[in-house]
Amino acid sequence: MCGIAGFVCDGPGPDVARLWKMARILHHRGPDDAGIHVDENIGLVHTRLAIIDLEGGHQPMHDDGNTLALVANGEIYNHVELARDLKAKGRTFETRSDSETILHAYAVYGRGFLQHLNGMFALALHDKSKRQVILARDRLGIKPLYFAQLPNCVVFASEIKAILPFLDHAPALDADAFIQYLEFQFSTGRRTLVHGIQRLLPGEAMAIDSNLHIERWRYWSPLDARPRNRRFEEAAEEFDGIIERVMTEHLRADVPFGLFLSGGVDSGVLAAMIHKYQDRPIRTFSVGYRGTRFVGELEDASRIANLFATEHTVLELEDRQILRRIPHMVWANDELMRDYACLPTSILAEQASREVKMVFTGEGGDEVFAGYGRYRKSPLERLLNRTLAPGSGGFRTHGQWHRRYARDALGPGLARARQSVRMPFVSAWKETPSDWSDVQRSQYTDMTTALPDNLLVKADRMLMGFALEGRVPFLDHRIVEFGLSLPDDLKVQPHQGKWFLKRWAERHLPSDHLYRKKRGFNVPVGEWLRGPFLEQLAGKLIANRAIGEWFNVDGVKRLIDDQRRGRHATREIMGLTQFAIWHRLFIERLGEKPSPDEDPLAWIA
């Protein structure tokens, strides 16, 4: 797990000082080592978090003839098997690093090398003989990669904050991405919150030549999965083999690791699998809250910890700890992403990083096996939603800003952008094959929008903010293809989602734990957004320059008044709070970095 960055220029190459500045900005992603590669008009940057081959994995890596140079972020889980195959084809390895397999796979397979990599990764590979740099991102978008096309260069990096200082213009907000954030808590697609900075999409690669010509291609898509009818027993036997291979590969590490244990099905299954496939006690971490009416999952998590005799740490947080994490969370997220779960995840990551360098997390289980309630809407409800908001089969039809607040508070630019805010979901839905069911289409829509640009942003940024690697076995592409291919009746039952995984897991976990009502990873922010804190926050927001530029201040006052009266405008107010802090960090005052414990009010200048 690391940070990568670089430049491809059409004139004189990037100077060394600019490359080292990028390395400093990405230091939190890789505090163990750093290196740069410069060759004429190409510059590559790497900051390393050492997980495999601690002594021999320095990057940038080069081949024997010094015609290839690589910087990579992530893990190639099948590096043992891949190295064996590549050695049989005559390749000679200098290290045990999983990243070295990328270099040799490219040398042997050319652009087909990506199909041979099982893992999570973002990479930049300089092929000197072809005078081009290839950028690529893993199939599900677990690892991030951004780029900007400037007049005389293309600049790229693991995080937006490493690109911002090198733009040829003052950073400006993209209204279309901003309204997506407000309505859905994240922005999605190629465009980001910063105008001109783009995402490389999941499963996508692109080549940049010396003239800055860009060629893009997709090497994998969830659409490659085809529905297959089979009985539970047949599917369970197939899944036994898949999960064994996936866990064997994912458990490879030369450092101590742990598990974030939420108390839900997905982390419980991971606890069972780690317990099964390795013989050391599992280090587990869970989080809950003090002084709140909210019913969390600590009791369920402790039950699973006791079942597998893990070395378990419980963090019980108070409102002050959560609220004072907001500025650092906004900085670490890089993009605006309102998910409150980022806050306890950040605190968990800070705690875990003091003891381990890698943790397993359960992201992806709900998307892959259809665990969300939104996948089980009745035909009548879907018909109604489809009639009111056509284009996505009655799925993802409503934003999260109350209609009255949107009417009163959004400025003209955001009001215009709101008219097409659902287009990413409509486009994803329409990409699916005609023989797919609504459940499969819903899964695909989430896998290409909310998963990479919401959940996986949280999983990557909150952990890497404290140099902690996160592994997400449920998003191994073999499990994803398996889950998408399952017939609907193995995924959803009346009042029950994720049915296949739960029934398969009965041999490992108690049935009452598997089939209890889904709670989710919730945070009681609404209970804390009141009283003196709300009053001080209201004054700061109303006076904030960025709020005044993008919103109708009188409308903002009205939604705050509603919160005072208990009408719950929590989502809207927290969205505005994060935006005000983000605007200061990424638009107004580049280079500022909050500590993990700061008064959020002080950052709303």
Side-chain angles (χ1 to χ4, degrees):
M1 198 68 74
C2 309
I4 66 170
F7 295 88
V8 182
C9 304
D10 65 356
D15 63 67
V16 170
R18 297 175 84 193
L19 295 172
W20 282 116
K21 181 174 182 178
M22 297 181 97
R24 287 193 297 273
I25 294 171
L26 295 174
H27 176 76
H28 59 282
R29 295 188 67 92
D32 296 335
D33 190 15
I36 63 172
H37 161 82
V38 181
D39 189 303
E40 296 181 350
N41 63 328
I42 307 294
L44 304 180
V45 177
H46 189 263
T47 64
R48 186 183 185 210
L49 179 65
I51 302 293
I52 292 175
D53 191 5
L54 307 186
E55 300 300 324
H58 174 79
Q59 295 188 40
M61 287 185 170
H62 301 83
D63 68 335
D64 289 342
N66 210 35
T67 61
L68 302 177
L70 170 76
V71 292
N73 166 33
E75 301 291 345
I76 307 304
Y77 296 128
N78 66 328
H79 68 97
V80 173
E81 295 81 5
L82 185 55
R84 183 184 60 227
D85 294 344
L86 291 165
K87 288 175 183 176
K89 296 180 182 297
R91 304 300 299 179
T92 301
F93 280 69
E94 299 295 329
T95 74
R96 293 188 302 105
S97 169
D98 59 298
S99 294
E100 190 178 352
T101 58
I102 301 172
L103 269 180
H104 294 290
Y106 177 78
V108 171
Y109 301 112
R111 287 194 180 182
F113 76 116
L114 295 165
Q115 278 84 357
H116 294 267
L117 308 180
N118 295 344
M120 55 177 184
F121 55 84
L123 62 88
L125 192 151
H126 175 208
D127 185 335
K128 187 174 182 178
S129 64
K130 293 185 178 179
R131 297 176 59 81
Q132 67 179 12
V133 169
I134 292 178
L135 305 182
R137 193 173 173 203
D138 66 68
R139 295 168 177 84
L140 276 302
I142 303 168
K143 294 292 101 187
L145 192 56
Y146 300 90
F147 67 96
Q149 297 173 264
L150 307 180
N152 64 344
C153 71
V154 175
V155 57
F156 57 89
S158 296
E159 296 186 8
I160 288 173
K161 61 176 67 71
I163 296 177
L164 287 174
F166 306 103
L167 295 178
D168 62 340
H169 53 79
L173 199 64
D174 185 299
D176 290 318
F178 187 23
I179 193 64
Q180 288 176 13
Y181 155 74
L182 293 172
E183 290 283 12
F184 298 106
Q185 83 179 17
F186 63 96
S187 66
T188 188
R190 195 174 296 284
R191 292 162 69 171
T192 70
L193 266 293
V194 180
H195 182 73
I197 297 182
Q198 303 180 56
R199 300 179 185 94
L200 195 66
L201 299 180
E204 185 178 55
M206 75 183 205
I208 312 164
D209 68 19
S210 57
N211 296 317
L212 304 189
H213 173 74
I214 289 178
E215 177 190 0
R216 297 191 185 99
W217 68 96
R218 294 291 295 272
Y219 67 91
W220 184 88
S221 166
L223 297 176
D224 298 338
R226 305 308 303 161
R228 290 188 288 139
N229 285 321
R230 54 211 192 276
R231 295 179 295 109
F232 170 80
E233 292 75 15
E234 296 172 304
E237 183 178 359
E238 181 181 350
F239 189 62
D240 286 341
I242 294 173
I243 194 69
E244 180 176 4
R245 290 193 299 275
V246 168
M247 291 307 302
T248 298
E249 293 177 5
H250 276 66
L251 282 165
R252 290 168 175 160
D254 294 337
V255 296
F257 60 83
L259 166 68
F260 281 177
L261 193 57
S262 70
V265 172
D266 301 328
S267 64
V269 169
L270 290 182
M273 293 299 96
I274 296 170
H275 179 78
K276 178 178 180 180
Y277 291 112
Q278 59 101 42
D279 56 7
R280 297 185 301 276
I282 310 170
R283 193 72 183 84
T284 53
F285 304 86
S286 297
V287 66
Y289 311 102
R290 290 197 192 100
T292 176
R293 299 186 302 273
F294 175 74
V295 178
E297 295 189 312
L298 283 183
E299 184 177 342
D300 295 314
S302 295
R303 182 185 184 190
I304 300 303
N306 291 333
L307 180 64
F308 296 110
T310 75
E311 296 178 2
H312 192 50
T313 293
V314 172
L315 300 181
E316 291 192 82
L317 307 177
E318 298 176 342
D319 56 351
R320 182 181 182 277
Q321 293 171 276
I322 291 286
L323 296 175
R324 290 180 66 86
R325 182 60 54 133
I326 291 174
H328 186 273
M329 178 269 284
V330 172
W331 171 86
N333 253 338
D334 212 41
E335 301 190 72
L336 273 172
M337 208 270 281
R338 198 189 64 242
D339 189 351
Y340 307 147
C342 288
L343 295 164
T345 300
S346 172
I347 297 172
L348 268 180
E350 183 180 23
Q351 172 66 33
S353 68
R354 295 168 182 154
E355 305 178 45
V356 299
K357 292 188 75 171
M358 181 268 281
V359 292
F360 286 89
T361 71
E363 272 78 16
D366 286 307
E367 289 81 5
V368 172
F369 293 103
Y372 294 123
R374 58 179 176 265
Y375 298 155
R376 305 192 301 277
K377 298 285 181 67
S378 70
L380 180 60
E381 189 174 3
R382 282 200 179 276
L383 176 61
L384 178 62
N385 288 341
R386 189 163 56 241
T387 302
L388 295 175
S392 59
F395 184 70
R396 292 279 189 181
T397 55
H398 304 294
Q400 296 180 356
W401 262 57
H402 190 284
R403 186 176 301 174
R404 179 166 62 87
Y405 298 150
R407 183 189 67 234
D408 292 349
L410 297 181
L414 291 174
R416 286 192 298 271
R418 190 169 184 259
Q419 298 173 18
S420 58
V421 70
R422 292 182 54 247
M423 284 310 299
F425 309 114
V426 172
S427 297
W429 186 272
K430 291 181 176 179
E431 289 169 3
T432 55
S434 59
D435 63 341
W436 277 27
S437 69
D438 281 359
V439 172
Q440 289 165 314
R441 287 173 167 152
S442 300
Q443 288 177 274
Y444 173 81
T445 299
D446 274 352
M447 282 183 187
T448 55
T449 56
L451 180 65
D453 298 325
N454 183 11
L455 287 182
L456 291 178
V457 172
K458 176 191 70 177
D460 177 80
R461 307 303 196 285
M462 293 304 97
L463 274 60
M464 292 305 291
F466 296 96
L468 182 67
E469 175 177 296
R471 295 191 179 181
V472 285
F474 286 117
L475 292 177
D476 184 285
H477 70 282
R478 292 162 292 188
I479 291 181
V480 172
E481 291 169 351
F482 172 84
L484 277 174
S485 74
L486 288 172
D488 288 357
D489 62 359
L490 289 187
K491 286 183 282 197
V492 296
Q493 295 282 319
H495 311 295
Q496 194 71 242
K498 208 154 47 183
W499 186 78
F500 170 83
L501 185 64
K502 293 173 181 177
R503 184 174 172 188
W504 176 87
E506 287 177 2
R507 70 187 92 166
H508 302 291
L509 297 167
S511 291
D512 62 332
H513 177 84
L514 291 168
Y515 293 101
R516 67 174 175 76
K517 185 177 180 181
K518 181 177 176 62
R519 288 177 182 162
F521 190 19
N522 297 313
V523 186
V525 172
E527 293 186 32
W528 303 329
L529 194 59
R530 59 187 181 183
F533 178 78
L534 177 61
E535 295 308 315
Q536 295 177 62
L537 176 62
K540 292 280 189 177
L541 288 177
I542 291 168
N544 182 266
R545 179 172 67 85
I547 295 293
E549 179 182 349
W550 287 92
F551 296 89
N552 180 330
V553 174
D554 288 336
V556 173
K557 290 178 181 177
R558 285 193 287 273
L559 68 89
I560 292 172
D561 285 340
D562 277 1
Q563 181 75 6
R564 290 188 180 107
R565 292 191 288 265
R567 295 184 182 173
H568 302 298
T570 301
R571 286 175 173 172
E572 290 84 356
I573 294 172
M574 284 299 293
L576 294 173
T577 300
Q578 291 187 34
F579 164 65
I581 296 172
W582 182 90
H583 197 276
R584 170 175 171 171
L585 293 171
F586 290 85
I587 303 294
E588 299 170 28
R589 302 187 185 178
L590 295 181
E592 290 192 349
K593 177 182 177 181
S595 76
D597 180 26
E598 298 213 13
D599 180 2
L601 300 175
W603 286 85
I604 306 175

